[in-house]
Amino acid sequence: MANPKVRLETSKGDILVELFESEAPETVKNFLRYVDEEFYDGTIFHRVIKGFMVQGGGMDSQMRERDTHEPVKNEANNGVKNTRGTLAMARTMDPHSATAQFFINTVDNGFLNFKGENTQGWGYCVFGQVVEGIDAVDAMESERTRSFGYHQDVPADTISIISARRVED
């Protein structure tokens, strides 16, 4: 059975992602729940750090956080690495706090990989890979950034997620 795919229509271009259902089943189920609820429509990529990643999926254009479902258990111990073009769940210092926000690695970020089941070692769960549209990710990464309230690395020009939809093969 083929892995599920989701097309993110963004203001920088479309990004097609393949989700790693066998490696991160609960994380993929969680992400697809938000996709199916059209939760990501109208959210933004609110954090962009050149040479690191682009993060989005939880805030609107006014930097207001959307209400989310309960957090998902961290599945970063699945053997999948944080390499260029992979999708991973964003979270707080609590390793099991990821809800809707995700990021796309723009470079290999080995320091984000699972190292052990402790606060410092959990890492960030990779649950998918960009299969088309890495140029849109690169365009996001090159955006000028600014501070917005207590948020840093916010794109000066809003980068919107217009829609996120499942794609059938």
Side-chain angles (χ1 to χ4, degrees), residues 44-50 52-55 63 140-141 143-157 159:
I44 61 170
F45 280 90
H46 66 276
R47 187 169 173 232
V48 171
I49 303 176
K50 190 162 186 57
F52 181 35
M53 59 89 219
V54 298
Q55 179 177 334
M63 297 292 289
M140 290 178 198
E141 185 188 27
E143 279 292 312
R144 192 172 42 87
T145 60
R146 63 187 174 94
S147 293
F148 187 106
Y150 64 88
H151 299 280
Q152 297 177 341
D153 306 306
V154 178
D157 295 319
I159 302 172

Side-chain angles (χ1 to χ4, degrees), residues 21-83:
E21 199 164 36
S22 3
E23 292 84 352
E26 293 305 311
T27 305
V28 168
K29 180 178 166 187
N30 175 67
F31 183 76
L32 289 173
R33 178 182 186 185
Y34 287 109
V35 168
D36 292 343
E37 293 172 351
E38 300 181 4
F39 174 91
Y40 293 118
D41 297 11
T43 61
I44 61 170
F45 280 90
H46 66 276
R47 187 169 173 232
V48 171
I49 303 176
K50 190 162 186 57
F52 181 35
M53 59 89 219
V54 298
Q55 179 177 334
M59 296 189 182
D60 67 19
S61 61
Q62 300 304 308
M63 297 292 289
R64 291 182 299 242
E65 278 195 64
R66 290 200 173 167
D67 291 337
T68 59
H69 299 293
E70 63 285 342
V72 66
K73 182 181 181 301
N74 192 330
E75 296 177 301
N77 58 348
N78 63 13
V80 186
K81 307 295 184 205
N82 282 275
T83 57

Side-chain angles (χ1 to χ4, degrees), residues 154-167:
V154 178
D157 295 319
T158 302
I159 302 172
S160 301
I161 298 175
I162 299 160
S163 68
R165 299 288 182 274
R166 289 188 197 229
V167 174

